[in-house]
Amino acid sequence: MSSLSEQSALATTLRTDTCGLLRSDDVGRTVRLGGWVHRSRDLGGVVFIDLRDRTGLVQLAFGLAWSDAETLRLAAAVGVESVVLCEGDIVARDADRQNPDMQTGAIEVRVRALRIVGPAVTPALPVARGRGEKVAAEELRLRHRYLDLRRPELQENLVLRHRLLQVSRRYLSERGYLELETPILTKPTPEGARDYLVPSRVHPGEFYALPQSPQIYKQLFMCCGFDRYFQIARCFRDEDLRADRQPEFTQIDIEASFVEREDILALAEGLIGALWLEAGHTIPAHFDRMSYHDAMEYYGCDRPDLRYGLRLADYTAVFAPLAFAVTASAIAAGSRVRGLVVPGGAAWSRKQVDELEALAKGAGAGGLLRLRYADGAYDGPLAKFLTDEARAALALTDGDLALFVAAPDRVASPALDRVRQECARRCALIDETMQRFVVVMDFPMFEEDPATGALAAVHHPFTAPHPEDLVSFPDHPARWRALAYDVVLNGTELGGGSIRISDPAMQSRMFALLGIGSTDEQERRFGFLLEGLRAGAPPHGGIAFGFDRIAMLLAGAPSLRDVIAFPKTTAARSLFEGAPVAVSPDDLAELHLTVTETSA
RNA sequence: GGGGGCGUAGCUCAGUUUGGUUAGAGCACUCGACUGUCACUCGAGAGGUCGCGGGUUCGAGCCCCGUCGCUCCCGCCA
């Protein structure tokens, strides 16, 4: 929106203009403004007020040459954060009176009339901060959110959020995607995250659930022929919180029919490109693809940060011939020896490497094997076991520190992932300006419980297995890959999706593999999906993006709470309005509920 | 469920290491002065359940135990 059209769009009966958009072009105009007193400076015979609205600040000037005595008195007395209406003339400031730090610093408003329409009590926390002054504690910011949201930083975040929503809607709508809504009161699903439950008044003892995602509904839309769907969907998960996880969050939810994986990924690339462009970043039109296998093999995790190297490698063949007990016994037990080489790491102290080992142990590894190569000498527990062949194969450069884990992959990968990330941080290898997108795909269909051998869906139970694997290992579902994909940026998952199962028989088999064996149980829990698939389902698939997380990244905010107007604390409370709360016995009785003592 | 950090004036913090007079500073607030400031400046003033509860001690903001809140991480998040 150009400033001119935005300026006129925001004009009302009470104001002709907004504060932050006034410029030298406006000199000579008479304007009416409304806004909040950001700061004021009373010099006796002349008073200045920085007036703030969502567009920014402008300086109001009061002086007896153009304001009457009563107006000057009011201006000197008005408290910060009060709402005022004023009328005055835009004048150019003399050259030595301009403020280059202010968008509106070349002009000021000589106020002839002032009304305090919304006097404010002294604010509980400051909105205008001095240079270098910290923001108030988050607890106070959340408790006094009506003030916190006045801060220009949060205003910008929420304005950006709005723009990103509009870009999403326009991008998808222009490509034939229909914005369709799905219920908020839905059916509980025992799988996956814990549901938020809502008791039914008219059906004693029965409950709705708030949706964890509109997954099944959007698949049913496909069965209905709404072949391109999207929704800016509010989702709910009753799990513990993190800086990047809220119990109530927004996703851009997308589903399409007659598509294969690359159709969805191309749409995803385009949408992400449009969102990043709106925030001022031009990114590649096409993202790299990486298999889950390679991600785990070379980075130890399924959402690799590709802004730096430090790739993991398999050193089993190097270690196998060595008479080093730790690795020999692990290899004999069927494990591999994997590790990474950190250039310059040889300079780290014993304590610093111990800290890395503690990270690896925290991730479940028994230890972290270190080999330092500096000044032509090898140092570390396995140094004296190295053969010439092993030294040649390792090919270390002077100053290198090599770190190894000898353990099953399920242990070694997460341990090496953490070590790799910490080494990158220490070596300052992370270029914060870099945006490295990658699509990780070919996830395994299931993960096996190491204790029981039971299968659990890695993605969700509606994800289609890879057709090649159905042919190659029809009777070994644990080896199936899924037609699932995640979009990853700099080690953060932006979104994920899959091609879905559209064959009701296959869907039924999938439920059975996941332990929902009986037809009765399948029908009771997922009958509405199976019926839809049986009624004639097109091939379909989709993706969902974590919108709050995207807004956080593009706003450069440290927490999701800074891009959500009224977020929850890590204890899932709303400090501002004060939720949740106990309700009256009458209300409980009407819902056929009793609160037990332990929860009181 | 587990681990770490924080909690002192309206706000941001110092004081806690080594217990000891009346708990301090900056900003904000109130009053006063000031006609060109933009973090205005200057003068004066008011403002405290040191999160809460218990304990140790002649004496606790400081030590101990418990508890509450916020936060970060692990588990969890198909």
Side-chain angles (χ1 to χ4, degrees), chain A residues 54-204:
Chain A
R54 79 175 214 214
T55 63
L57 296 171
V58 69
Q59 173 165 284
L60 307 183
F62 300 80
L64 287 174
W66 60 89
S67 319
D68 60 34
E70 174 61 9
T71 299
L72 189 66
R73 193 196 61 78
L74 269 181
V78 64
V80 293
E81 295 310 317
S82 296
V83 178
V84 302
L85 292 175
C86 68
E87 181 169 329
D89 305 308
I90 308 291
V91 300
R93 300 200 206 176
D94 294 345
D96 59 337
R97 291 176 179 174
Q98 299 195 358
N99 184 346
D101 297 331
M102 249 175 133
Q103 296 271 332
T104 58
I107 56 105
E108 66 185 13
V109 183
R110 294 208 164 158
V111 176
R112 285 185 274 102
L114 179 73
R115 277 174 59 205
I116 301 170
V117 293
V121 297
T122 302
L125 49 87
V127 176
R129 304 202 314 287
R131 271 194 289 276
E133 189 181 338
K134 289 187 189 176
V135 296
E138 184 138 29
E139 183 173 357
L140 292 158
R141 291 176 43 206
L142 293 174
R143 198 177 300 287
H144 303 287
R145 197 64 164 169
Y146 54 94
L147 289 171
D148 197 36
L149 287 174
R150 293 182 184 185
R151 287 167 46 221
E153 299 95 316
L154 290 194
Q155 297 240 324
E156 283 169 21
N157 287 356
L158 292 187
V159 168
L160 175 65
R161 186 182 172 110
H162 156 83
R163 285 164 42 207
L164 296 173
L165 284 173
Q166 302 318 308
V167 165
S168 303
R169 289 199 156 97
R170 189 167 68 239
Y171 185 89
L172 291 164
S173 182
E174 282 174 353
R175 281 156 185 79
Y177 285 80
L178 303 173
E179 183 169 10
L180 302 175
E181 292 161 286
T182 53
I184 292 295
L185 296 175
T186 71
K187 184 174 181 176
T189 53
E191 296 73 27
R194 209 173 285 118
D195 284 322
Y196 277 99
L197 295 175
V198 179
S200 165
R201 174 183 56 84
V202 292
H203 301 290

Side-chain angles (χ1 to χ4, degrees), chain A residues 254-265:
Chain A
I254 297 168
E255 195 80 2
S257 295
F258 306 110
V259 292
E260 293 198 328
R261 188 164 59 183
E262 284 301 325
D263 296 306
I264 298 294
L265 291 177

Side-chain angles (χ1 to χ4, degrees), chain A residues 138 142 145 196 234 236 241-242 245-248 559-561 564-575 577 579-580:
Chain A
E138 184 138 29
L142 293 174
R145 197 64 164 169
Y196 277 99
R234 196 62 66 85
F236 306 85
L241 280 65
R242 289 281 190 284
R245 205 194 293 165
Q246 282 273 309
E248 164 176 9
S559 160
L560 235 40
R561 294 183 294 272
I564 295 174
F566 299 102
K568 305 286 189 286
T569 69
T570 51
R573 278 190 182 282
S574 304
L575 295 181
E577 69 271 38

Side-chain angles (χ1 to χ4, degrees), chain A residues 12 20 242 432:
Chain A
T12 64
R242 289 281 190 284
E432 296 290 349

Side-chain angles (χ1 to χ4, degrees), chain A residues 276-291:
Chain A
W276 258 249
L277 187 63
E278 180 67 19
H281 306 283
T282 301
I283 62 171
H286 188 69
F287 304 159
D288 288 341
R289 307 285 191 262
M290 183 182 293
S291 68

